[in-house]
Amino acid sequence: MPLKSFQIFTLMCGFFSRFYAIASPPIQTAQKEVLRGVDVSLRCEVSFLSESSTLQWERDGEQTSNTTLLYNNSAYIILHTVDGHNQGKYYCRLMEDGRVTTVRIHTLYVSSNSYNGNNKINTIYRQSSNNSDVSLICKTKKEYNRWKWTWEQRPNSQTDLIAVENGTEVQVKGPIKPGRLSSTTYNSQVFIFHISPVNFNSSGTYRCITKDINNPYTTTMLRTIRVSVEHPDGLLRNRSVILTCEVSEVTDSLMLVWLRMEGNRGVLGKQQIMTEKNNKLQLTVNLSNNETDPLHWQCAVFTEDTLRALAPITISLSSSSKTTTRPNKEFNKYAKATVSSVLVLCAGIMLGAILYYLYRKRMSVHSNPQESEPVYININLMRKDKVERSNALGNRETSPEMYRHLRRNRYDKTNINERDETPATSESVTYATIYFNKSRCQT
């Protein structure tokens, strides 16, 4: 029985709708309310993600400025120390072949206070570096007359950090100095302790205490991670490097992952599950020379499927040098020695040129008179001038003006020694060569 046009159209629509449903994953929605001051990690996943497609989080049509990672067909985002500004809807969008598909919508609500009493603990992770910081926020509904932040690095080692009472100034007490964003005046409803930079030894349990030391208003456990790179056999003998990622403490099971970054997409390098039983809470990966490009790596901390922290590191390598902490010092030492040698050589060349110039100048002053240029003088003219002077001396009484003229010419002319007494005639001209030392004649 032949199909009618309407039936064919219905089948085609059904086929394309099923194909679109397979190609476009359904939209997942979620909502969550969190305490002010905590870290929030969001994740969305697709079944397959090609290299040409991207999966990213957006908020209100704009890309977020927080930490993002694309790994294992999933897009992650970490919101640090959330407050009212982080509240709203977050969209995970898949962009492929010019088509945009929304995969997940997550609505986030942030409470007006940070109370997590009843011995609840909020755990956050921070990288230990000069550019890392953390703000511990204690925000209450009620008003309190006194505040205090304490730190417990190890069990039963609680230490006061800062404290304030109504009508007094903030007192700094503990070993960790408060950062610039810490509270400096009394406020009855908020008290902030800012740490900047975060050191590896800054890990521990921080408590905000309002009135009862046994019932803190806010308890935050800070875990620090640090990454490093080194050459196992020095600069010249081996071109491999070792990356190390270390976590300060583990209370529950977590996983450390080394990722080689290609943009914001992570490629697995090595991973390991860490527990309290591990002797060393660190993960190392040995990179040979052909694995050092690209140069951007990140150590990721996961608890189950939740991304808790990222610690980036850049390996400054080239075909001729490796720049880690130790090799950099050696390279700078050799570079400074080379520059110093070049400067000394240039100074020696300039000094030699100056001495040679002064030597040539001195030799030109004391040169041999016989090497001076010859001067040709007409001897007949000299004799004629002598006769004219004799006549002028005889008649100076009768012609005083002429005498003065001849006398001036006499002293203007150069005195020379007569070397030839041959009588001059009108047809004969005799030339003599007389040598002068120019340097002695100059004044």
Side-chain angles (χ1 to χ4, degrees):
M1 177 179 176
L3 296 176
K4 297 181 179 180
S5 300
F6 178 76
Q7 294 175 331
I8 295 175
F9 178 76
T10 303
L11 291 175
M12 291 180 62
C13 291
F15 172 78
F16 283 112
S17 62
R18 291 186 62 187
F19 175 78
Y20 183 78
I22 296 175
S24 302
I27 299 177
Q28 302 175 9
T29 60
Q31 59 184 13
K32 186 177 183 180
E33 183 176 359
V34 296
L35 297 175
R36 182 182 296 266
V38 303
D39 290 352
V40 177
S41 179
L42 304 180
R43 170 180 177 261
C44 75
E45 182 182 12
V46 294
S47 58
F48 175 75
L49 188 64
S50 64
E51 295 183 357
S52 59
S53 59
T54 59
L55 186 66
Q56 64 184 23
W57 283 96
E58 296 180 357
R59 181 188 175 189
D60 298 330
E62 298 181 357
Q63 295 185 13
T64 61
S65 58
N66 292 274
T67 304
T68 56
L69 173 66
L70 193 60
Y71 174 61
N72 274 352
N73 299 330
S74 298
Y76 298 88
I77 179 175
I78 300 178
L79 307 175
H80 291 136
T81 316
V82 297
D83 56 15
H85 297 287
N86 301 109
Q87 186 167 279
K89 290 186 177 181
Y90 293 82
Y91 303 86
C92 179
R93 303 190 190 278
L94 173 66
M95 289 175 286
E96 188 173 19
D97 299 329
R99 181 167 51 89
V100 179
T101 304
T102 300
V103 178
R104 185 180 180 87
I105 302 176
H106 194 107
T107 304
L108 183 65
Y109 299 97
V110 180
S111 66
S112 60
N113 63 83
S114 60
Y115 177 74
N116 66 345
N118 300 325
N119 296 322
K120 293 182 179 179
I121 298 177
N122 170 44
T123 304
I124 60 175
Y125 292 81
R126 288 294 186 275
Q127 181 183 3
S128 172
S129 69
N130 293 330
N131 299 324
S132 180
D133 68 338
V134 59
S135 292
L136 304 176
I137 300 176
C138 192
K139 179 73 168 59
T140 65
K141 294 181 179 180
K142 297 172 56 177
E143 295 184 356
Y144 291 92
N145 291 326
R146 64 172 61 92
W147 299 87
K148 181 169 62 174
W149 273 105
T150 64
W151 174 49
E152 188 177 79
Q153 188 177 24
R154 293 175 297 274
N156 301 322
S157 63
Q158 186 165 293
T159 304
D160 293 346
L161 295 177
I162 58 175
V164 66
E165 293 185 8
N166 188 4
T168 63
E169 296 180 353
V170 175
Q171 299 178 1
V172 179
K173 298 182 177 182
I176 301 178
K177 294 183 178 180
R180 60 182 180 85
L181 299 181
S182 299
S183 298
T184 57
T185 59
Y186 169 78
N187 188 312
S188 61
Q189 288 185 297
V190 63
F191 196 45
I192 300 174
F193 183 70
H194 179 234
I195 304 174
S196 178
V198 176
N199 298 320
F200 190 71
N201 295 329
S202 301
S203 65
T205 303
Y206 294 81
R207 295 180 175 92
C208 174
I209 299 173
T210 54
K211 57 180 181 179
D212 186 1
I213 192 171
N214 297 320
N215 186 22
Y217 192 87
T218 299
T219 302
T220 302
M221 184 176 294
L222 174 63
R223 297 290 176 253
T224 54
I225 56 177
R226 62 182 173 187
V227 291
S228 60
V229 55
E230 63 176 349
H231 290 270
D233 297 322
L235 176 65
L236 300 177
R237 290 181 292 171
N238 197 314
R239 294 184 177 226
S240 64
V241 296
I242 295 178
L243 301 180
T244 302
C245 179
E246 184 180 2
V247 62
S248 61
E249 187 177 351
V250 174
T251 52
D252 298 323
S253 176
L254 59 83
M255 184 170 59
L256 295 181
V257 182
W258 269 114
L259 299 173
R260 178 171 54 87
M261 301 305 298
E262 298 176 356
N264 68 337
R265 188 188 297 261
V267 179
L268 177 62
K270 189 178 180 179
Q271 66 182 18
Q272 182 177 342
I273 296 177
M274 298 291 174
T275 62
E276 294 181 89
K277 297 180 181 180
N278 291 94
N279 295 327
K280 290 185 178 180
L281 302 177
Q282 62 181 24
L283 176 64
T284 61
V285 56
N286 195 336
L287 305 179
S288 61
N289 186 43
N290 58 357
E291 297 177 15
T292 55
D293 288 324
L295 308 178
H296 304 288
W297 288 74
Q298 291 199 65
C299 177
V301 180
F302 288 90
T303 55
E304 297 180 353
D305 293 332
T306 303
L307 176 65
R308 306 305 303 269
L310 285 173
I313 188 172
T314 300
I315 311 172
S316 301
L317 300 175
S318 63
S319 59
S320 60
S321 65
K322 306 286 184 295
T323 57
T324 60
T325 303
R326 180 184 52 175
N328 265 341
K329 294 180 180 179
E330 297 178 0
F331 177 78
N332 292 336
K333 179 178 66 176
Y334 296 139
K336 291 179 180 179
T338 303
V339 172
S340 301
S341 301
V342 173
L343 292 177
V344 171
L345 179 61
C346 294
I349 294 175
M350 293 180 63
L351 181 61
I354 294 174
L355 292 177
Y356 179 74
Y357 170 76
L358 295 176
Y359 172 77
R360 290 296 302 269
K361 185 175 181 180
R362 181 178 180 184
M363 292 299 296
S364 64
V365 172
H366 298 283
S367 60
N368 192 346
Q370 293 183 357
E371 296 179 358
S372 302
E373 296 180 359
V375 180
Y376 299 97
I377 300 177
N378 193 326
I379 300 299
N380 291 334
L381 295 178
M382 292 174 57
R383 293 178 177 176
K384 183 176 179 181
D385 183 56
K386 182 178 180 181
V387 173
E388 291 176 353
R389 288 201 301 272
S390 300
N391 294 335
L393 291 173
N395 301 326
R396 60 185 177 180
E397 295 294 337
T398 59
S399 184
E401 294 295 332
M402 182 179 296
Y403 170 72
R404 285 195 299 271
H405 175 72
L406 293 175
R407 184 178 180 183
R408 184 168 57 252
N409 290 339
R410 173 186 178 184
Y411 289 101
D412 291 340
K413 293 185 177 298
T414 305
N415 293 326
I416 60 174
N417 297 326
E418 297 180 4
R419 301 179 59 184
D420 192 356
E421 297 297 332
T422 305
T425 61
S426 58
E427 288 89 3
S428 63
V429 177
T430 303
Y431 294 92
T433 302
I434 300 176
Y435 294 91
F436 289 87
N437 191 335
K438 294 182 178 181
S439 61
R440 296 180 180 180
C441 295
Q442 294 175 353
T443 59

